[in-house]
Amino acid sequence: LGGEQLSGQVQCLDMAAGCLNTLYRMKLVQATGFLYDCYLLMPQRDEAGEEYRRAFWREINARPPEVFVVTSHQCGLTPMNYRYDELREWPAFGRFLSANYSLYADRIPPHLVKWIAGAGLPFGYRIYVRHGFR
């Protein structure tokens, strides 16, 4: 999608599924300083989470990333289903994504991964690119 030109232009919505590690290995800086997607996409509401959403919302509207990477882990609340239901937990963000971005890729790695309790399903991910991007 652009290699080093994407530094500062990719936003991960992922905490532990690999997006941040991938950016690090590619020597790319994330678009914002927001690292933990569960505060943004959890179904439970509290004031700390709402403030986190407001700050993230201000930042992505001030400087919309060219690329969003969303992983399928749903903050560990449900078994892996690859439906990305967590995007429905914040309808305003879902509308923002739909209105401004197109789905570029939807991937599920073909192999099981090693977890503490043994082999398990890998995280999937979707890549969304901003309309008009290249």
Side-chain angles (χ1 to χ4, degrees):
L1 286 174
E4 63 188 36
Q5 297 169 331
L6 282 176
S7 194
Q9 300 295 321
V10 178
Q11 178 61 46
C12 297
L13 289 178
D14 163 33
M15 195 265 309
C19 181
L20 295 169
N21 290 340
T22 300
L23 291 183
Y24 178 78
R25 285 192 307 274
M26 294 176 71
K27 297 181 172 78
L28 298 177
V29 175
Q30 189 175 228
T32 74
F34 291 86
L35 299 176
Y36 191 62
D37 61 327
C38 290
Y39 291 135
L40 299 170
L41 302 173
M42 288 286 279
Q44 297 85 4
R45 299 288 187 266
D46 62 29
E47 187 51 38
E50 291 303 316
E51 178 52 36
Y52 196 75
R53 281 184 180 191
R54 285 189 291 271
F56 182 76
W57 186 253
R58 283 189 302 270
E59 196 155 339
I60 64 170
N61 277 280
R63 277 187 5 140
E66 295 296 331
V67 177
F68 274 98
V69 179
V70 182
T71 56
S72 63
H73 64 89
Q74 298 169 257
C75 299
L77 297 176
T78 61
M80 192 70 71
N81 63 28
Y82 307 110
R83 291 192 318 238
Y84 301 86
D85 293 334
E86 67 272 21
L87 293 175
R88 292 188 205 122
E89 296 300 337
W90 188 10
F93 177 74
R95 288 188 299 274
F96 171 85
L97 197 63
S98 295
N100 299 291
Y101 294 80
S102 298
L103 182 63
Y104 174 82
D106 189 349
R107 305 270 193 272
I108 301 170
H111 51 78
L112 295 177
V113 293
K114 184 176 180 180
W115 297 107
I116 294 170
L121 295 173
F123 292 116
Y125 63 92
R126 288 182 177 169
I127 298 173
Y128 294 88
V129 296
R130 196 154 74 116
H131 296 161
F133 176 67
R134 296 193 206 354

